[in-house]
Amino acid sequence: MTGMAPGAAIDFWFDFASPYGYFMSETIDALAAQHGRRVRWRPVLLFAVLRTLELPAPLENAVKRDYMQRDFERSARFLGVAYRLPDGFPATTQHAARAFYLLERDAPETAVPFAHRAMRGYFRESAALGDLLQVARWVAEAAPQMGDAESIAGLIAADTPKALLADAVQEAVRARVFGSPLVVIDGEPFFGVDRLPQIEARLAGRLAPSTL
Amino acid sequence: MTGMAPGAAIDFWFDFASPYGYFMSETIDALAAQHGRRVRWRPVLLFAVLRTLELPAPLENAVKRDYMQRDFERSARFLGVAYRLPDGFPATTQHAARAFYLLERDAPETAVPFAHRAMRGYFRESAALGDLLQVARWVAEAAPQMGDAESIAGLIAADTPKALLADAVQEAVRARVFGSPLVVIDGEPFFGVDRLPQIEARLAGRLAPSTL
């Protein structure tokens, strides 16, 4: 027993440009709901977290990069998720992540729908995830009450969303988020979309909490 | 179609001191046999392969090391494999790998049984995997025709097993073995014991070959 309520939220850390994070985003909410849990989505700038943790970027080495590009496509097929390596991969993700935290504060029910739009647009149609105005358009679609895309772009680029994202990055460093996706259940980290079978077993009570 | 025979051998690359490699070693032969395949076991010195590929050692960073030690134990429970983090982990593995290639040449049917003895001794009972005489004892148990442990230790430490292992390391570099375990099916690499579900689907014809 960890002393935490059995229904405590699950943390889902990811970077908007992470294929494995996208694959996880397509399944984690439904899986958690089956076990009476909700999910707290936490997008971060993975490169900033890794730099602080003194870890190299995941695509830095050509041998691993070649393997991963192959594995992205194969894992998408295996998991049944629509996917195509985006043009200009990987995109910068600060606008998308700032927009998420802006919505979380001002229109919280729209933050996850926005995140789905952004990742599906990027990983299915090579939409310009790194472009502020494209991100603002996704916000306008998910949260029409926020205004039109041009005015939303101004909101995203303001100081407050920047500060909210900086806070999330600091929290990720404290939580030792060394990759995307990283799912935390009652304090126990699970790294990678390939940990889905263990996450499912853990939530179903078939895999005991790790005591380390 | 790759042009290779459907029953071509599967390559199983690993390092004797890799927990994930050990977990794979407990299941890959039976899984392959179910699909009419045999497995070519290829132990290497992972640190030597990684150095040539300009990749850091997997346990170099404390944040990832802490996570992996936790994940080793959890994955063993999930997979139903007996496991305990060995004292003095990770051990050096050149004696075990040289002994494997010595047996592969001189008593081939005993090489895999020897490898099981060595990994089970290390990962279940913290036996001294890095010690030449301990390795020679495992060889003597698996292949009594090779002589007693003292004389086998002399055979392992001779030039030929060293050259055979050096050849395997060079082959691993060409095959871009960037971690342990790495399984290659008809030219397609699968990295990590967490790829077992994809390996199974691939062998069963439920997952098409990757075309990248």
Side-chain angles (χ1 to χ4, degrees):
Chain A
M1 297 300 294
T2 62
M4 303 179 80
I10 292 168
D11 284 344
F12 165 40
W13 296 98
F14 66 101
D15 186 294
F16 270 100
S18 160
Y20 298 128
Y22 160 60
F23 303 157
M24 181 67 84
S25 78
E26 291 288 316
T27 185
I28 188 66
D29 275 344
L31 180 59
Q34 284 168 19
H35 300 282
R37 301 281 194 124
R38 67 180 185 83
V39 179
R40 198 171 74 109
W41 289 45
R42 296 284 97 181
V44 289
L45 304 180
L46 186 60
F47 83 90
V49 180
L50 293 178
R51 196 172 46 197
T52 306
L53 295 176
E54 297 182 0
L55 281 162
L59 298 165
E60 199 169 284
N61 179 278
V63 171
K64 288 187 84 164
R65 186 172 60 237
D66 289 353
Y67 173 81
M68 285 173 74
Q69 291 197 357
R70 182 172 197 155
D71 189 64
F72 294 156
E73 186 277 332
R74 182 174 63 204
S75 292
R77 280 191 284 124
F78 181 74
L79 294 165
V81 176
Y83 166 83
R84 175 165 91 72
L85 186 71
D87 303 331
F89 175 83
T92 57
T93 59
Q94 75 269 23
H95 299 311
R98 289 175 188 171
F100 179 91
Y101 289 109
L102 174 69
L103 288 176
E104 192 182 58
R105 193 193 60 168
D106 291 348
E109 74 286 358
T110 69
V112 169
F114 155 77
H116 278 307
R117 277 178 192 274
M119 282 192 275
R120 289 173 185 167
Y122 183 56
F123 287 112
R124 297 181 185 182
E125 295 148 31
S126 286
L129 178 64
D131 181 70
L132 175 58
L133 195 57
Q134 174 61 68
V135 168
R137 278 188 216 108
W138 284 320
V139 171
E141 287 170 19
Q145 68 270 37
M146 297 288 289
D148 63 15
E150 282 70 19
S151 59
I152 289 169
L155 296 175
I156 295 169
D159 286 346
T160 300
K162 187 174 177 176
L164 291 169
L165 175 57
D167 289 348
V169 167
Q170 285 311 306
E171 188 190 346
V173 169
R174 288 192 298 275
R176 311 213 291 177
V177 175
F178 63 86
S180 168
L182 191 128
V183 168
V184 181
I185 303 174
D186 300 343
E188 184 174 347
F190 296 78
F191 169 58
V193 71
D194 36 39
R195 285 294 170 278
L196 269 174
Q198 293 191 21
I199 291 170
E200 186 164 18
R202 176 75 166 75
L203 290 174
R206 288 183 281 106
L207 184 66
S210 167
T211 54
L212 289 178
Chain B
M1 296 299 292
T2 62
M4 304 178 79
I10 293 168
D11 283 344
F12 165 40
W13 297 97
F14 66 100
D15 187 293
F16 271 99
S18 159
Y20 298 129
Y22 160 60
F23 303 156
M24 181 66 84
S25 78
E26 291 288 317
T27 186
I28 188 66
D29 276 344
L31 180 60
Q34 285 168 19
H35 300 281
R37 302 282 194 123
R38 68 180 184 82
V39 179
R40 199 171 72 110
W41 289 45
R42 296 285 95 181
V44 290
L45 303 180
L46 186 60
F47 84 91
V49 181
L50 293 178
R51 196 173 45 198
T52 305
L53 295 176
E54 298 183 358
L55 282 163
L59 297 164
E60 200 169 282
N61 178 279
V63 170
K64 287 187 86 163
R65 187 172 61 237
D66 289 352
Y67 173 80
M68 285 173 74
Q69 292 198 357
R70 182 173 196 154
D71 189 65
F72 294 155
E73 186 276 331
R74 183 175 61 204
S75 292
R77 280 191 284 124
F78 181 74
L79 294 165
V81 176
Y83 166 83
R84 176 165 91 73
L85 186 70
D87 303 332
F89 174 84
T92 58
T93 59
Q94 75 270 24
H95 299 311
R98 289 175 187 171
F100 179 92
Y101 289 109
L102 174 68
L103 288 176
E104 191 182 58
R105 191 192 63 169
D106 291 347
E109 73 287 357
T110 68
V112 169
F114 155 77
H116 279 307
R117 278 178 191 274
M119 282 192 274
R120 289 172 186 168
Y122 183 57
F123 286 112
R124 297 181 185 183
E125 294 149 30
S126 285
L129 178 64
D131 181 69
L132 175 58
L133 195 58
Q134 174 60 67
V135 169
R137 279 189 214 108
W138 285 319
V139 170
E141 289 170 17
Q145 68 269 38
M146 297 290 288
D148 64 14
E150 282 71 19
S151 59
I152 290 169
L155 297 174
I156 296 169
D159 285 347
T160 300
K162 187 173 177 176
L164 292 169
L165 175 57
D167 289 348
V169 167
Q170 285 311 308
E171 188 191 346
V173 168
R174 287 193 299 274
R176 311 213 292 178
V177 175
F178 63 86
S180 169
L182 191 128
V183 169
V184 182
I185 303 174
D186 299 343
E188 183 174 348
F190 295 78
F191 169 59
V193 71
D194 35 40
R195 285 294 170 279
L196 269 173
Q198 293 190 22
I199 290 171
E200 185 164 18
R202 176 75 166 74
L203 291 174
R206 288 182 282 106
L207 184 67
S210 167
T211 54
L212 288 179

